[in-house]
Amino acid sequence: MNPDVRRPRRGRGPSGPVGFVIDSVVMGWRWLVRMRTALILLAMLGLLTLIATVVPQEPNVPGTVEVWRSGDEGPGVLVSRGIDAIGGYDVYGSALFLALLLLLYLSLTACLIPRIRAWVRLVRHSRPPLTRAADRQQVVASFSTDLGPDEVHATARGLLTDTRWRVRDPDPAPDLEPAPGLEPAPGLEPAPDLEPAPGLDPAPDLEPAPDLEPAPDPDRSRAMSSGPPPQVAAEKGLWSREGGSLLFHLSFYVLLAAIVFGQLLGFDGQRAVVEGESFADTPVSYWTYGPGRWWTDDDHRGWVLHLDSFEVDWVRDPLAPGAGQPTTFVSDVTVTTADGEVRETTVEGNRPLTVDGLKIHQLDWGYAPFVEVWVDGELEHANFLTAQAADGGMFRAAVKVPSADPDVGLEVFFFPYAPDSDDGPVFTGVPWADDPLLLFRQYRGDLQIGRTQQTINELDTTELESVGGGLIRPGGEVVMDDGVVVRFVELRRWVGFQVSARPQIPWLLLASAMLLGGLHPALYAYRRRLWVVASRPEGDARTLVTVAGRAFQRPQAFEDEHRRVVDRLAAATGAATPAPSDDEVVPR
Amino acid sequence: MNEAALAELSRVLYSPVTLLLYAAAAFLYLYALTTKVGRREDGPARGRRAELAGLVVASLGIGAHLAHEVTRGLAQGRLPLGNMFEFTSMMALVGVVVGLGYLQFVRKRPELNGFVLMAGTLVLASALLVYSDPGPLMPILDTWWRTFHVTVIVIAAGIFTAGFVFNSLQLMRDLAEQRVADARSRTTVGSTVGAAYIGDLRAGSDAEAGTETDAAASAETDAVGERVAPDAADAPDGDPDAQTADDEAAYRRALRGALSPWRLALGTFLGTSTVSWVFLATPTLEFATGVQRFLIVNLAMVAVALIARWFVPMLPAAATLDGLAYRTIALGFFAWTFGVIAGAMWAEQSWGRFWGWDPKETASFLTWIAYAAYLHARATRGTRGRGAAWIGILSFAVLMFTYYAVNLVFVGLHSYAGL
Ligand code: HEM
């Protein structure tokens, strides 16, 4: 199981640098085959995963990573540099992780190859061994019957075969008087030429007497005894446990292949759609576009999705349980497929829509105020904003007007429910739009579009100067000092859709099925052997039947099984059912 | 009955009813354990009576717990698996039912029920720290896949809790056996798990003692010559050489004395802190409340560890406990794997990606790796026994970390489960 990592035996093969390389490869391989190595690698994978759990990951929360890096939050700049040095902000994209994955798979392969070979040999060649001392096995029960020994053996053989035991073929006419010193007796031939493999024993053809003193020298015992008594030997669970374990480990290859396959052939795109508007499935219409390497423009079929309306509601009663929690999120959409078929349907959080092989998920939503910006009497901006939920029940957006001179930028804060009071508007923080209010701050200067990183809802204010701000209700407008007019024309909502193609899903399901299907027998199947020895001593009227067995795993489960076999055999041979007393069934 | 009344009823059924019943059953079983070693004439009879009473009280406790879950479900019109309180409560229920069922009916070792019930009481009480009233569920969470995923995961966590109990007992017993054996400077008696390797080293010896000799172990025993693995469930529980009752009592005292209470208390305190620090770091919790919870959890664990230490001499052999832990954790691992896969299916359905390495997913993967490492360690010679038990305990810490730290501190997509 854990062979020492020895230096390969020298003397054969090339020496010098070539020999050194060969030696190193052989030693590396031996290291990889060890179970201890797998354990160490698993521990390292665990360590990396722990880092990925406690450290924010760039692909998930880039914003948090940014503030950790800048030292504004988190453990400080110095620690942050250390994290960066080991790739801790993107563990699963780091070189360290890839190297570890490679080693794990190498180790997996190194340890599976011999296991599979041994398993195949075992399944093909194994033969249940005979026992010489049935009464000294792990579990033993006996009873007597009127049937003759041969009849008992035949009954046992049929019974065991019916319950899917692998029964040893009857030996050829037993050579009762083995010529001493010549060929070994049948059943005593040397164990087939199998090398022991991890988890498998070489299945010697004779179960040695389980005595407690050191086993006598096999040659001597062979000479002394006249061979094992006539018996039925059977075996079960021989290959399922190890086979399950192999299936389980093999599923990791399917998993890896599915993931790589998905990276190459998959596609992922996102797009926000305002109520009453549509979008077509073309590469340019996505806001974020993540095609796999082998994904081509031709894979877009050009279907069109029209968002008729979006319904959202909450538990509005502040005293009800779960107050403020959302209760509905539904997009009513009309889809025109590539073939021109028109369908009215809905997309919900948990009910994605499939159109022409692509899956459409409803990911998020927000308010879409229609805002006009007039600069020097010209309409420079007239569009829906896609304001995104931010802290405090507020929704944030930005307006960028690079065509004005100098550029005009607005930071927009949208409050769905901000009723007026004597002291001005009250910001309730409630998300339903019963009394919407748009608050903005205006800037002029250089928006730096395309030069700095900014999302559509963010303004880079470093090169901008604040001009002032204002509050607008729907339908209202504000005239700024510099003559810029801002109008809040109407309010709708927008929905963020994700469109994806995941051809790997069936393969992932296959991997899961292998994983679980293999794990179960790997943990629960157990190997066991059973012997039925019937004999009728000279001059005796009754046949003594001994049913002996041993389990390599799960002795408790085996005891029950043994008892059942004994009961059935006793019933089939017309013996009185042996009382399953502790005297007869001797667990040792 | 209206919903408010149902909610109130479910609360009462939980605490104090279930809590007290579990605690009482634990007490009865532990008392029964003490009678096993006494030399009083009527010891066995009293023990049997106490055990029976324990079974009745524990069954009542399970019944009350079930009734609590049902009434809570009715009060809120959904399955009671929506927030941390509900998860923890269900975890305790599963842990107690699986642990007791396994010990009572499969392994027929009811004397260990007390420890499972003690753990159940503790988990139940810890759920009160995160109690919340019944309420509805967010629509994104209201899907069949989620229900399925969460149910399986919680079942797995409950099973792992029972495994943790066995692992901890095994470790204490093993250390005690080993130290007593060392003190007597004997090589062959000692840790009954360790005996397996000592036996393997001496060709022809037959001291294979692993209860669940797995494929690897059997390969070794086979290599030694197809030796018989005696059923370790019946391994001698006491000193094999003890001749008289006085010897036995001395052996028991030696076992207990082998574990320093101070070191055990300190170790438990520090070990529990690897998880309970999250109460100090929870952003939604006042610091003073956090400190209070931190201390409550840590001190409760220390107290339980010290109680368990007192019972160390009455425990079955370490090898038996090892087998119990292995079987329990194997079952939990299967369920956990299934649950994680179901979670990926839910994520695919709800968010359009089956795996995104968000903190919750990453942490459940971490738990999976930890328990896979336990299973591997158990199949590896050098780490079998105590080494595996340590990994098992560490894995449980990882599970608790996944559960508490990620829910309360590192929030991701799954942040639904907060208080
Ligand atoms: C990549 C992650 C891996 C996982 C999650 C994993 C999981 C498991 C599990 C759960 C078992 C227990 C099955 C049983 O008890 O029969 C097992 C057994 C085993 N694993 Fe892995 N394994 C992994 C990788 C490896 C690697 C890389 C090796 C090669 C060194 C390896 C070698 C073995 C062996 C030899 C067994 C058999 C132990 C036995 O027969 O009980 N595993 N593995």
Side-chain angles (χ1 to χ4, degrees), chain B residues 10 13-14 17-19 21-22 58-71 85-86 88-94 96-97 120 123-124:
Chain B
S10 85
L13 277 173
Y14 188 85
V17 178
T18 309
L19 207 58
L21 284 172
Y22 280 176
S59 307
L60 286 176
I62 291 172
H65 202 161
L66 275 172
H68 153 78
E69 299 290 353
V70 170
T71 46
F85 165 72
E86 292 171 354
T88 315
S89 154
M90 195 63 94
M91 208 171 106
L93 179 61
V94 173
V96 167
V97 169
V123 175
L124 213 60

Side-chain angles (χ1 to χ4, degrees), chain A residues 34-35 38 107-108 111 115 248-249 522, chain B residues 215 326 368 375-376 379:
Chain A
R34 301 172 75 200
M35 184 88 151
S107 150
L108 196 62
C111 93
R115 278 177 78 183
F248 169 83
H249 285 87
Chain B
Y326 171 69
W368 190 75
L375 292 181
H376 275 95

Side-chain angles (χ1 to χ4, degrees), chain A residues 2 35 46 60 92 201 207 210 215 326 349-350 361 498 502 509 516 523-524 529 550 552-556 588, chain B residues 139-140 143 211-213 222 226-228 230-231 233 327 331 338 345 348-350 352 356-357 366 376 380:
Chain A
N2 250 336
M35 184 88 151
N60 289 60
Y92 297 104
D201 64 81
E207 178 82 3
N350 295 311
H361 280 87
Q498 171 183 284
R502 298 204 198 286
L509 288 177
L516 288 171
L523 296 175
Y524 288 100
R529 293 191 175 139
R550 77 174 275 208
F552 292 78
Q553 299 94 12
R554 306 188 61 194
Q556 279 84 14
R588 304 220 325 219
Chain B
I140 190 78
T143 110
T211 318
E212 305 292 339
T213 43
D222 289 355
E226 298 274 342
R227 300 269 151 238
V228 181
D231 184 356
R327 290 243 65 83
L331 182 65
F338 197 27
M345 291 188 175
E348 170 63 22
Q349 193 201 27
S350 290
W357 296 116
L366 180 62
H376 275 95
T380 311

